[in-house]
Structure formats: C-alpha cells, structure tokens
Coordinates of all heavy atoms in Angstrom, one line a residue:
M1 N 0.8 -1.2 0.0 CA 0.0 0.0 0.0 C 0.9 1.2 0.0 O 1.9 1.2 0.6 CB -0.9 0.0 1.2 CG -1.6 1.3 1.5 SD -2.6 1.3 3.0 CE -3.9 0.1 2.6
T2 N 0.4 2.3 -0.7 CA 1.2 3.5 -0.7 C 0.4 4.5 0.2 O -0.8 4.7 0.0 CB 1.3 4.1 -2.1 OG1 2.1 3.2 -2.9 CG2 2.0 5.4 -2.1
V3 N 1.1 5.2 1.1 CA 0.5 6.2 1.9 C 1.2 7.5 1.6 O 2.4 7.6 1.5 CB 0.7 5.9 3.4 CG1 0.2 7.0 4.3 CG2 0.1 4.5 3.8
A4 N 0.4 8.6 1.5 CA 1.0 9.9 1.3 C 0.7 10.8 2.5 O -0.4 10.8 3.1 CB 0.3 10.6 0.1
L5 N 1.8 11.4 3.0 CA 1.7 12.3 4.2 C 1.8 13.7 3.6 O 2.7 14.0 2.8 CB 2.8 12.1 5.2 CG 2.8 10.7 5.8 CD1 3.9 10.7 6.9 CD2 1.5 10.3 6.4
M6 N 0.9 14.6 4.0 CA 0.9 16.0 3.5 C 1.2 16.9 4.7 O 0.5 16.7 5.8 CB -0.4 16.4 2.8 CG -0.6 15.6 1.5 SD -2.1 15.9 0.7 CE -1.9 17.6 0.2
W7 N 2.1 17.9 4.5 CA 2.4 18.8 5.6 C 2.3 20.2 5.0 O 2.9 20.4 3.9 CB 3.9 18.5 6.0 CG 4.5 19.3 7.1 CD1 4.7 19.0 8.4 CD2 5.1 20.6 6.9 NE1 5.3 20.0 9.0 CE2 5.6 21.0 8.1 CE3 5.2 21.5 5.8 CZ2 6.3 22.3 8.3 CZ3 5.9 22.7 6.0 CH2 6.4 23.1 7.3
E8 N 1.6 21.1 5.6 CA 1.4 22.4 5.0 C 1.5 23.5 6.1 O 0.9 23.3 7.2 CB 0.0 22.5 4.3 CG -0.3 23.8 3.5 CD -1.0 24.8 4.3 OE1 -1.7 24.4 5.3 OE2 -1.0 26.0 4.0
A9 N 2.2 24.6 5.8 CA 2.4 25.7 6.7 C 2.3 27.0 5.9 O 2.6 27.1 4.7 CB 3.7 25.6 7.4
R10 N 1.9 28.0 6.6 CA 1.8 29.4 6.1 C 2.9 30.2 6.8 O 2.8 30.3 8.1 CB 0.4 30.0 6.2 CG 0.4 31.3 5.6 CD -1.1 31.8 5.5 NE -1.1 33.2 5.0 CZ -2.1 34.0 5.1 NH1 -3.2 33.6 5.7 NH2 -2.0 35.2 4.6
A11 N 3.7 30.8 6.1 CA 4.8 31.6 6.7 C 4.3 32.9 7.2 O 3.3 33.5 6.8 CB 5.9 31.9 5.6
A12 N 5.0 33.4 8.3 CA 4.8 34.7 8.8 C 5.1 35.7 7.7 O 5.9 35.5 6.8 CB 5.6 34.9 10.0
E13 N 4.5 36.9 7.8 CA 4.7 38.0 6.9 C 6.2 38.2 6.5 O 7.0 38.4 7.4 CB 4.1 39.3 7.4 CG 4.2 40.5 6.5 CD 3.3 40.3 5.3 OE1 2.2 39.7 5.4 OE2 3.6 40.8 4.2
G14 N 6.5 38.1 5.3 CA 7.9 38.3 4.8 C 8.9 37.2 5.1 O 10.0 37.3 4.8
R15 N 8.4 36.0 5.6 CA 9.2 34.9 5.9 C 9.1 33.7 5.0 O 9.6 32.6 5.3 CB 9.0 34.5 7.4 CG 9.1 35.5 8.4 CD 10.6 36.0 8.7 NE 11.5 35.0 8.9 CZ 11.9 34.5 10.1 NH1 11.3 35.0 11.2 NH2 12.8 33.6 10.2
G16 N 8.4 33.9 3.8 CA 8.2 32.7 2.9 C 9.5 32.0 2.5 O 9.6 30.8 2.5
G17 N 10.5 32.8 2.2 CA 11.8 32.2 1.8 C 12.5 31.5 2.9 O 13.1 30.4 2.7
D18 N 12.4 32.1 4.1 CA 12.9 31.4 5.3 C 12.2 30.1 5.6 O 12.9 29.1 5.9 CB 12.8 32.3 6.5 CG 13.6 33.6 6.4 OD1 14.6 33.6 5.7 OD2 13.2 34.6 7.0
L19 N 10.9 30.1 5.5 CA 10.2 28.8 5.7 C 10.5 27.8 4.7 O 10.8 26.6 5.0 CB 8.7 29.1 5.8 CG 7.8 27.8 6.0 CD1 8.1 27.2 7.3 CD2 6.3 28.2 5.9
L20 N 10.6 28.2 3.4 CA 11.0 27.2 2.4 C 12.4 26.7 2.6 O 12.6 25.4 2.5 CB 10.9 27.9 1.0 CG 11.1 27.0 -0.2 CD1 10.2 25.9 -0.2 CD2 11.0 27.9 -1.5
A21 N 13.3 27.5 3.0 CA 14.7 27.0 3.3 C 14.7 26.1 4.5 O 15.4 25.0 4.5 CB 15.6 28.2 3.5
W22 N 13.9 26.4 5.5 CA 13.8 25.5 6.7 C 13.3 24.2 6.3 O 13.8 23.1 6.7 CB 12.9 26.2 7.7 CG 12.8 25.4 9.0 CD1 13.6 25.4 10.1 CD2 11.8 24.4 9.3 NE1 13.1 24.5 11.0 CE2 12.0 23.9 10.5 CE3 10.7 23.9 8.5 CZ2 11.2 22.9 11.1 CZ3 9.9 23.0 9.1 CH2 10.2 22.5 10.4
V23 N 12.2 24.1 5.5 CA 11.6 22.9 5.1 C 12.6 22.0 4.3 O 12.8 20.8 4.6 CB 10.3 23.1 4.3 CG1 9.9 21.9 3.5 CG2 9.2 23.6 5.1
R24 N 13.3 22.7 3.4 CA 14.3 21.9 2.6 C 15.4 21.3 3.4 O 16.0 20.3 3.0 CB 14.8 22.8 1.4 CG 13.7 23.0 0.4 CD 14.3 23.9 -0.7 NE 13.3 23.9 -1.9 CZ 13.4 24.8 -2.8 NH1 14.2 25.8 -2.8 NH2 12.5 24.7 -3.8
A25 N 15.7 22.0 4.5 CA 16.8 21.5 5.3 C 16.4 20.4 6.3 O 17.3 19.8 6.9 CB 17.4 22.7 6.1
Q26 N 15.1 20.1 6.4 CA 14.7 19.1 7.3 C 14.8 17.7 6.8 O 14.3 17.4 5.7 CB 13.2 19.3 7.7 CG 12.9 20.6 8.4 CD 13.8 20.8 9.6 OE1 13.7 20.0 10.5 NE2 14.5 21.9 9.6
G27 N 15.6 16.9 7.5 CA 15.7 15.5 7.1 C 14.6 14.7 7.8 O 14.0 15.2 8.8
L28 N 14.5 13.4 7.4 CA 13.6 12.5 8.1 C 14.4 11.3 8.6 O 15.5 11.0 8.1 CB 12.5 12.0 7.1 CG 11.5 13.1 6.6 CD1 10.7 12.6 5.4 CD2 10.6 13.6 7.7
A29 N 13.9 10.6 9.6 CA 14.6 9.5 10.2 C 14.9 8.4 9.2 O 15.8 7.7 9.3 CB 13.8 8.9 11.4
R30 N 14.0 8.3 8.1 CA 14.3 7.4 7.0 C 13.7 8.1 5.7 O 12.9 9.0 5.8 CB 13.8 6.0 7.2 CG 12.3 5.9 7.4 CD 12.0 4.4 7.7 NE 10.7 4.1 7.2 CZ 9.6 3.8 8.0 NH1 9.8 3.7 9.3 NH2 8.5 3.5 7.5
E31 N 14.2 7.6 4.6 CA 13.8 8.2 3.3 C 12.5 7.7 2.8 O 12.3 6.5 2.8 CB 14.9 8.0 2.3 CG 16.1 8.8 2.5 CD 15.9 10.3 2.5 OE1 15.2 10.8 1.5 OE2 16.3 11.0 3.4
P32 N 11.6 8.6 2.4 CA 10.3 8.1 1.8 C 10.6 7.6 0.4 O 11.7 7.8 -0.2 CB 9.5 9.4 1.8 CG 10.5 10.5 1.7 CD 11.7 10.0 2.5
V33 N 9.6 7.0 -0.3 CA 9.7 6.6 -1.7 C 9.9 7.8 -2.5 O 10.7 7.9 -3.5 CB 8.5 5.8 -2.1 CG1 8.5 5.5 -3.6 CG2 8.4 4.5 -1.3
R34 N 9.2 8.9 -2.1 CA 9.2 10.1 -2.9 C 8.9 11.3 -1.9 O 8.2 11.1 -1.0 CB 8.1 10.1 -4.0 CG 8.2 11.2 -5.0 CD 7.3 10.7 -6.2 NE 6.3 11.7 -6.5 CZ 5.2 11.5 -7.2 NH1 5.0 10.3 -7.6 NH2 4.4 12.4 -7.4
R35 N 9.5 12.5 -2.2 CA 9.2 13.7 -1.5 C 9.2 14.9 -2.4 O 10.1 15.0 -3.2 CB 10.3 13.9 -0.4 CG 10.2 15.2 0.4 CD 11.3 15.2 1.4 NE 11.3 16.5 2.1 CZ 12.0 16.8 3.2 NH1 12.7 15.8 3.8 NH2 12.0 18.0 3.7
E36 N 8.2 15.6 -2.3 CA 8.0 16.8 -3.2 C 7.7 18.0 -2.3 O 6.9 17.9 -1.3 CB 7.0 16.6 -4.2 CG 7.4 15.6 -5.3 CD 6.4 15.5 -6.5 OE1 6.1 16.6 -7.0 OE2 6.0 14.4 -6.8
T37 N 8.2 19.2 -2.7 CA 7.9 20.4 -2.0 C 7.3 21.4 -3.0 O 7.7 21.6 -4.1 CB 9.2 21.0 -1.4 OG1 9.9 20.0 -0.6 CG2 9.0 22.3 -0.6
F38 N 6.2 22.1 -2.5 CA 5.5 23.1 -3.3 C 5.4 24.4 -2.5 O 5.4 24.4 -1.3 CB 4.1 22.5 -3.6 CG 4.0 21.2 -4.3 CD1 4.1 20.0 -3.6 CD2 3.9 21.1 -5.7 CE1 4.0 18.8 -4.2 CE2 3.8 19.9 -6.3 CZ 3.9 18.7 -5.6
R39 N 5.1 25.5 -3.3 CA 4.7 26.7 -2.6 C 3.5 27.3 -3.3 O 3.2 27.0 -4.5 CB 5.9 27.7 -2.5 CG 6.3 28.3 -3.8 CD 7.4 29.3 -3.6 NE 7.9 29.6 -4.9 CZ 8.9 30.4 -5.1 NH1 9.5 30.9 -4.1 NH2 9.3 30.7 -6.3
A40 N 2.8 28.2 -2.6 CA 1.6 28.8 -3.1 C 1.5 30.2 -2.6 O 2.3 30.6 -1.8 CB 0.4 28.0 -2.6
P41 N 0.5 31.0 -3.2 CA 0.3 32.3 -2.7 C 0.2 32.4 -1.2 O -0.2 31.4 -0.6 CB -0.9 32.8 -3.4 CG -1.0 32.0 -4.7 CD -0.4 30.6 -4.3
Q42 N 0.4 33.5 -0.6 CA 0.4 33.8 0.8 C 1.5 33.0 1.6 O 1.3 32.7 2.7 CB -1.0 33.4 1.4 CG -2.1 34.2 0.8 CD -3.5 33.8 1.3 OE1 -3.7 32.7 1.6 NE2 -4.4 34.8 1.4
D43 N 2.6 32.8 0.8 CA 3.8 32.2 1.4 C 3.4 30.8 2.1 O 3.9 30.5 3.2 CB 4.5 33.1 2.4 CG 5.2 34.2 1.7 OD1 5.7 34.0 0.6 OD2 5.3 35.3 2.3
R44 N 2.6 30.0 1.4 CA 2.3 28.7 1.9 C 3.3 27.7 1.4 O 3.7 27.8 0.2 CB 0.9 28.3 1.6 CG -0.1 29.1 2.4 CD -1.5 28.7 2.1 NE -1.8 29.2 0.8 CZ -2.6 28.6 -0.1 NH1 -3.2 27.4 0.2 NH2 -2.8 29.1 -1.3
V45 N 3.7 26.7 2.2 CA 4.6 25.7 1.7 C 4.0 24.3 2.0 O 3.4 24.1 3.1 CB 6.0 25.8 2.5 CG1 6.9 24.6 2.1 CG2 6.7 27.1 2.2
L46 N 4.0 23.4 1.0 CA 3.4 22.1 1.1 C 4.5 21.1 0.8 O 5.2 21.2 -0.1 CB 2.3 22.0 0.1 CG 1.7 20.6 -0.1 CD1 0.9 20.2 1.1 CD2 0.8 20.6 -1.3
V47 N 4.6 20.0 1.7 CA 5.5 18.9 1.4 C 4.6 17.6 1.4 O 3.8 17.4 2.3 CB 6.6 18.8 2.5 CG1 7.4 17.6 2.3 CG2 7.4 20.1 2.6
I48 N 4.8 16.8 0.4 CA 4.1 15.5 0.3 C 5.2 14.5 0.3 O 6.2 14.5 -0.5 CB 3.3 15.4 -0.9 CG1 2.3 16.6 -1.0 CG2 2.5 14.1 -1.0 CD1 1.5 16.6 -2.3
T49 N 5.1 13.5 1.2 CA 6.0 12.3 1.1 C 5.1 11.1 0.9 O 4.0 10.9 1.3 CB 6.8 12.2 2.5 OG1 5.8 12.1 3.6 CG2 7.7 13.3 2.7
W50 N 5.7 10.1 0.1 CA 5.1 8.9 -0.2 C 5.8 7.8 0.4 O 7.1 7.7 0.4 CB 5.1 8.7 -1.7 CG 4.1 9.5 -2.5 CD1 2.8 9.1 -2.9 CD2 4.2 10.8 -2.9 NE1 2.2 10.1 -3.6 CE2 3.1 11.2 -3.6 CE3 5.2 11.8 -2.8 CZ2 2.9 12.4 -4.2 CZ3 5.1 13.0 -3.4 CH2 3.9 13.3 -4.1
W51 N 5.1 6.8 1.0 CA 5.7 5.7 1.7 C 5.0 4.4 1.3 O 3.8 4.3 1.1 CB 5.4 5.9 3.2 CG 5.9 7.2 3.8 CD1 5.3 8.4 3.8 CD2 7.2 7.4 4.3 NE1 6.1 9.4 4.3 CE2 7.3 8.8 4.6 CE3 8.3 6.6 4.5 CZ2 8.4 9.4 5.2 CZ3 9.5 7.2 5.1 CH2 9.5 8.5 5.4
D52 N 5.8 3.4 1.2 CA 5.3 2.0 1.0 C 5.1 1.4 2.4 O 6.0 0.9 3.0 CB 6.4 1.2 0.2 CG 5.9 -0.2 -0.1 OD1 4.6 -0.5 0.0 OD2 6.7 -1.1 -0.5
A53 N 3.9 1.6 2.9 CA 3.6 1.2 4.3 C 2.1 1.1 4.4 O 1.3 1.7 3.7 CB 4.1 2.3 5.2
P54 N 1.6 0.4 5.5 CA 0.2 0.4 5.8 C -0.3 1.8 6.2 O 0.5 2.7 6.7 CB 0.1 -0.5 7.0 CG 1.3 -1.3 7.0 CD 2.4 -0.4 6.4
Y55 N -1.6 2.1 6.1 CA -2.1 3.4 6.4 C -1.8 3.9 7.8 O -1.5 5.0 8.0 CB -3.7 3.4 6.2 CG -4.3 4.7 6.4 CD1 -4.3 5.7 5.4 CD2 -4.9 5.0 7.6 CE1 -4.8 6.9 5.6 CE2 -5.4 6.3 7.9 CZ -5.4 7.2 6.9 OH -6.0 8.5 7.1
D56 N -1.9 3.0 8.8 CA -1.7 3.4 10.2 C -0.2 3.2 10.7 O 0.0 3.2 11.8 CB -2.6 2.6 11.1 CG -2.5 1.1 11.0 OD1 -1.7 0.6 10.1 OD2 -3.1 0.4 11.7
A57 N 0.7 3.0 9.7 CA 2.1 2.8 10.1 C 2.7 4.1 10.8 O 2.3 5.2 10.5 CB 2.9 2.5 8.9
S58 N 3.6 3.8 11.7 CA 4.3 4.9 12.3 C 5.4 5.4 11.3 O 6.3 4.7 11.0 CB 4.9 4.4 13.6 OG 5.7 5.5 14.2
L59 N 5.2 6.6 10.8 CA 6.1 7.2 9.8 C 6.7 8.5 10.3 O 6.1 9.2 11.0 CB 5.4 7.4 8.5 CG 4.7 6.1 7.9 CD1 3.8 6.5 6.8 CD2 5.8 5.2 7.4
P60 N 8.0 8.8 9.9 CA 8.6 10.0 10.3 C 7.9 11.2 9.6 O 7.5 11.1 8.4 CB 10.0 9.9 9.8 CG 10.0 8.8 8.8 CD 8.9 7.9 9.1
E61 N 7.7 12.3 10.3 CA 7.0 13.5 9.7 C 7.9 14.7 10.0 O 8.7 14.7 10.9 CB 5.6 13.6 10.4 CG 4.7 12.5 10.0 CD 3.3 12.8 10.4 OE1 2.8 13.9 10.0 OE2 2.6 12.0 11.0
L62 N 7.7 15.7 9.2 CA 8.4 17.0 9.4 C 7.8 17.6 10.7 O 6.6 17.5 11.0 CB 8.1 17.9 8.3 CG 8.7 17.5 7.0 CD1 8.2 18.5 5.9 CD2 10.2 17.5 7.0
P63 N 8.7 18.2 11.5 CA 8.3 18.8 12.8 C 7.6 20.2 12.5 O 7.5 20.6 11.4 CB 9.6 19.0 13.5 CG 10.6 19.2 12.4 CD 10.1 18.3 11.3
E64 N 7.1 20.8 13.6 CA 6.6 22.1 13.6 C 7.8 23.1 13.5 O 8.8 22.9 14.2 CB 5.9 22.4 14.9 CG 4.6 21.7 15.1 CD 3.4 22.3 14.4 OE1 3.4 23.5 14.1 OE2 2.5 21.6 14.0
P65 N 7.7 24.1 12.6 CA 8.8 25.1 12.6 C 8.7 26.0 13.8 O 7.7 26.0 14.5 CB 8.5 25.8 11.3 CG 7.2 25.5 10.9 CD 6.7 24.3 11.6
D66 N 9.8 26.8 14.1 CA 9.7 27.8 15.1 C 8.5 28.7 14.9 O 8.2 29.1 13.8 CB 11.0 28.5 15.2 CG 12.2 27.7 15.6 OD1 12.0 26.7 16.3 OD2 13.3 28.1 15.3
A67 N 7.9 29.1 16.0 CA 6.7 29.9 15.9 C 6.9 31.2 15.2 O 5.9 31.7 14.5 CB 6.2 30.2 17.4
E68 N 8.1 31.8 15.2 CA 8.2 33.1 14.4 C 8.3 32.9 12.9 O 8.2 33.9 12.2 CB 9.5 33.8 14.9 CG 10.8 33.2 14.5 CD 11.3 32.2 15.6 OE1 10.6 32.0 16.6 OE2 12.4 31.6 15.4
L69 N 8.4 31.7 12.4 CA 8.4 31.4 11.0 C 7.0 31.3 10.4 O 6.8 31.4 9.2 CB 9.1 30.1 10.7 CG 10.6 30.2 10.5 CD1 11.2 28.8 10.1 CD2 11.0 31.2 9.4
V70 N 6.0 31.0 11.2 CA 4.6 30.6 10.7 C 3.5 31.5 11.4 O 3.7 32.0 12.4 CB 4.3 29.1 10.9 CG1 5.2 28.3 10.1 CG2 4.4 28.7 12.4
T71 N 2.4 31.5 10.7 CA 1.2 32.3 11.2 C 0.3 31.4 12.0 O -0.6 31.9 12.7 CB 0.5 32.9 10.1 OG1 0.0 31.9 9.2 CG2 1.3 33.9 9.3
R72 N 0.4 30.1 11.9 CA -0.5 29.1 12.6 C 0.2 27.8 12.7 O 1.2 27.6 12.1 CB -1.8 29.0 11.8 CG -1.6 28.6 10.3 CD -2.8 28.1 9.7 NE -2.7 27.9 8.3 CZ -2.0 27.0 7.7 NH1 -1.4 26.0 8.4 NH2 -2.0 26.9 6.3
A73 N -0.4 26.9 13.4 CA 0.1 25.5 13.5 C 0.1 24.9 12.1 O -0.8 25.2 11.2 CB -0.7 24.7 14.4
V74 N 1.0 23.9 11.9 CA 1.1 23.2 10.7 C -0.2 22.3 10.5 O -0.7 21.8 11.5 CB 2.3 22.3 10.7 CG1 2.3 21.2 9.6 CG2 3.6 23.1 10.7
H75 N -0.7 22.2 9.2 CA -1.8 21.3 8.9 C -1.1 20.0 8.4 O -0.2 20.0 7.6 CB -2.7 21.9 7.9 CG -3.5 23.0 8.4 ND1 -4.3 23.8 7.6 CD2 -3.6 23.6 9.6 CE1 -4.9 24.7 8.3 NE2 -4.4 24.7 9.5
R76 N -1.7 18.9 8.8 CA -1.2 17.6 8.4 C -2.4 16.7 7.9 O -3.4 16.7 8.6 CB -0.5 16.9 9.5 CG 0.7 17.6 10.1 CD 1.2 17.0 11.4 NE 2.1 17.8 12.1 CZ 3.4 17.8 11.9 NH1 4.0 17.0 11.0 NH2 4.2 18.7 12.5
W77 N -2.1 15.9 6.9 CA -3.1 15.0 6.4 C -2.4 13.7 6.0 O -1.3 13.7 5.6 CB -3.9 15.5 5.2 CG -4.6 16.8 5.4 CD1 -5.9 17.0 5.9 CD2 -4.1 18.1 5.1 NE1 -6.2 18.3 5.9 CE2 -5.1 19.0 5.4 CE3 -2.9 18.6 4.6 CZ2 -5.0 20.4 5.3 CZ3 -2.7 19.9 4.4 CH2 -3.8 20.8 4.8
R78 N -3.2 12.6 6.1 CA -2.6 11.3 5.6 C -3.7 10.7 4.7 O -4.9 10.7 4.9 CB -2.5 10.3 6.8 CG -1.9 9.0 6.5 CD -1.7 8.2 7.8 NE -0.6 8.7 8.5 CZ 0.4 7.9 9.1 NH1 0.4 6.6 9.0 NH2 1.4 8.5 9.7
F79 N -3.2 10.1 3.5 CA -4.0 9.6 2.5 C -3.5 8.2 2.1 O -2.2 8.0 2.1 CB -4.1 10.4 1.3 CG -4.7 11.8 1.5 CD1 -3.9 12.9 1.9 CD2 -6.1 12.0 1.3 CE1 -4.5 14.1 2.1 CE2 -6.7 13.2 1.5 CZ -5.9 14.3 1.9
E80 N -4.3 7.3 1.7 CA -3.9 6.0 1.1 C -4.2 6.1 -0.4 O -5.2 6.6 -0.8 CB -4.5 4.8 1.8 CG -6.0 4.7 1.6 CD -6.6 3.5 2.3 OE1 -6.1 2.4 2.0 OE2 -7.5 3.6 3.1
Q81 N -3.3 5.5 -1.2 CA -3.5 5.5 -2.6 C -4.5 4.4 -3.0 O -4.5 3.3 -2.4 CB -2.2 5.2 -3.3 CG -2.3 5.3 -4.8 CD -0.9 5.0 -5.5 OE1 -0.1 4.3 -5.0 NE2 -0.7 5.7 -6.6
L82 N -5.4 4.7 -3.9 CA -6.4 3.8 -4.4 C -6.1 3.3 -5.8 O -5.5 4.1 -6.6 CB -7.8 4.4 -4.4 CG -8.3 4.9 -3.0 CD1 -9.6 5.6 -3.1 CD2 -8.3 3.8 -2.0
S83 N -6.4 2.1 -6.1 CA -6.1 1.7 -7.5 C -7.2 2.0 -8.5 O -8.3 2.4 -8.1 CB -5.9 0.2 -7.5 OG -6.9 -0.5 -6.9

C-alpha cells in the first residue's frame, strides 16, 4: 500500500523564503519513496511524502517550525492510494 503524508504551513509575513529554506533543510529519520515540496500564494509551503507502508504505520514526519516562521500551526493529512 502507498501512503501519502501531507504537511502544509503558512509563513509569517515576509518569511516565505525562510520557511521554504527551513523545510528543505529538514531530514527525516528514514527516506520516503518520494518527497516533493510546493509553494503557493500567501507564502504557503506544502510537502508531500510517499511511503510504501500500511495506512496506520508509524512514519517520520516533518516537525513544527519555530513559531516566528509561521502564522499558525502546521496542517497535516494522511491519505492512502487507491487503484
């Protein structure tokens, strides 16, 4: 089964580049099958990681950034791939 973890944060005013650099510097305890990073208006950053694992598996996730980098808590979602 393939599981996708989504991590999304909105940067504090003027800190979009800092948040993006912070995300790119974050390693995970193990490597996913795939990892992609996106950005959107309002300095939002999205990271999707794909894992070959059961839906409820314990998987490494990106942490919360320092509070001065973001406007709110990180949003996280987990999805399973359907055939």
Side-chain angles (χ1 to χ4, degrees):
M1 168 183 294
T2 299
V3 176
L5 302 183
M6 297 177 65
W7 178 103
E8 186 265 341
R10 184 171 175 195
E13 183 70 31
R15 303 292 307 269
D18 296 332
L19 179 60
L20 185 56
W22 180 89
V23 163
R24 288 180 166 163
Q26 298 306 301
L28 294 168
R30 62 183 210 246
E31 288 299 310
V33 172
R34 189 164 126 201
R35 175 177 172 165
E36 292 189 50
T37 303
F38 302 85
R39 70 176 169 186
Q42 300 177 326
D43 288 328
R44 289 179 290 143
V45 175
L46 171 69
V47 178
I48 305 173
T49 56
W50 285 262
W51 303 88
D52 183 16
Y55 182 82
D56 58 354
S58 177
L59 299 169
E61 296 193 47
L62 293 172
E64 291 278 334
D66 291 337
E68 69 269 3
L69 272 181
V70 293
T71 61
R72 57 165 168 74
V74 169
H75 291 175
R76 301 169 192 272
W77 302 273
R78 183 177 287 226
F79 296 89
E80 66 180 304
Q81 185 177 34
L82 303 175
S83 55

